[in-house]
Amino acid sequence: DAKTTQPTSMDCAEGRAANLPCNHSTISGNEYVYWYRQIHSQGPQYIIHGLKNNETNEMASLIITEDRKSSTLILPHATLRDTAVYYCIVRADILTGGGNKLTFGTGTQLKVEL
Amino acid sequence: DAGVTQSPTHLIKTRGQQVTLRCSPKSGHDTVSWYQQALGQGPQFIFQYYEEEERQRGNFPDRFSGHQFPNYSSELNVNALLLGDSALYLCASSLVQRNTEAFFGQGTRLTVV
């Protein structure tokens, strides 16, 4: 699985959009980008994933660049409860034999403040 | 739907002892993965079970073993505990042939003294 690079920490004002970047310059054509977050002392929580196209769900939006070498997770209106460590993970397509293990880095600590 | 449940939530063991952690996957899921998370680090993949067999394994010694039962629940066993095995142990369930999300339990906090 391709490696990812994320900033160690970011701050965001409550009510503003939080934009979390991730670099994955060695990503392959069959590799997906997944985002999880982990609130202190809890299990990781799935947020969103995508392959090529931008994706949106009730939690967030995922913007993947055209060359797929980087992506941005957008929390449109951050709240204090969004304070967590956010992990960007690249994982191969299960159907091509990639398996479905997740390789976590150290993630980005997002702190949402009043 | 109870989601992924793990037991116990906390555990204290002595060096050299053995421990068994348990996981019940989300309803409808057939694959269980185990992760170890040391303080300040991201979770590290231990192994994955599907159809009662170990399918993938991370870089962990043979002291770490597991089992999956016909009802898809799973156990993680660690023998000859070391102080360095102190960590949060996470279980995740998913569907083996789907590029969908994995659901994590709340974890078992193991402390080795």
Side-chain angles (χ1 to χ4, degrees):
Chain A
D1 296 333
K3 292 194 180 299
T4 62
T5 303
Q6 300 177 252
T8 303
S9 64
M10 294 182 65
D11 293 331
C12 179
E14 189 176 35
R16 304 297 293 271
N19 296 280
L20 292 91
C22 179
N23 286 320
H24 31 78
S25 59
T26 61
I27 193 169
S28 300
N30 70 340
E31 289 182 316
Y32 286 75
V33 179
Y34 284 76
W35 283 84
Y36 283 77
R37 72 180 183 183
Q38 188 172 24
I39 296 170
H40 184 62
S41 295
Q42 296 183 19
Q45 177 190 24
Y46 167 82
I47 302 173
I48 199 167
H49 76 284
L51 182 63
K52 296 179 182 178
N53 300 321
N54 298 337
E55 302 287 345
T56 295
N57 63 19
E58 65 279 4
M59 287 183 68
S61 294
L62 173 61
I63 307 299
I64 302 174
T65 58
E66 193 169 341
D67 63 8
R68 301 186 70 240
K69 293 185 176 181
S70 65
S71 60
T72 301
L73 177 73
I74 301 173
L75 308 178
H77 305 286
T79 71
L80 298 178
R81 288 177 294 180
D82 292 322
T83 293
V85 177
Y86 287 77
Y87 296 99
C88 170
I89 299 166
V90 171
R91 197 198 75 191
D93 187 335
I94 287 176
L95 299 179
T96 60
N100 59 4
K101 77 173 187 178
L102 297 170
T103 301
F104 289 82
T106 51
T108 295
Q109 173 66 63
L110 176 68
K111 185 176 181 182
V112 181
E113 301 171 308
L114 291 171
Chain B
D1 184 358
V4 179
T5 58
Q6 293 186 242
S7 64
T9 54
H10 295 83
L11 201 53
I12 299 175
K13 288 287 189 177
T14 303
R15 274 181 301 174
Q17 285 189 315
Q18 179 264 344
V19 68
T20 297
L21 311 181
R22 295 176 175 82
C23 172
S24 292
K26 179 179 171 62
S27 177
H29 282 184
D30 54 14
T31 302
V32 172
S33 303
W34 287 92
Y35 293 80
Q36 179 195 66
Q37 186 172 25
L39 205 59
Q41 303 295 317
Q44 299 299 304
F45 177 78
I46 302 175
F47 44 52
Q48 181 182 92
Y49 277 83
Y50 170 65
E51 291 186 330
E52 303 178 48
E53 291 188 14
E54 183 182 296
R55 301 291 180 170
Q56 282 185 290
R57 189 178 183 92
N59 188 25
F60 280 80
D62 292 344
R63 297 187 298 110
F64 290 77
S65 63
H67 189 78
Q68 185 180 35
F69 299 94
N71 67 354
Y72 306 116
S73 67
S74 177
E75 289 181 349
L76 164 66
N77 300 293
V78 187
N79 295 321
L81 284 166
L82 304 173
L83 296 179
D85 294 331
S86 295
L88 180 68
Y89 288 85
L90 295 159
C91 169
S93 74
S94 57
L95 289 167
V96 71
Q97 290 296 334
R98 302 289 296 276
N99 286 308
T100 53
E101 68 269 34
F103 286 81
F104 283 80
Q106 294 303 296
T108 294
R109 173 71 63 186
L110 172 65
T111 302
V112 182
V113 297

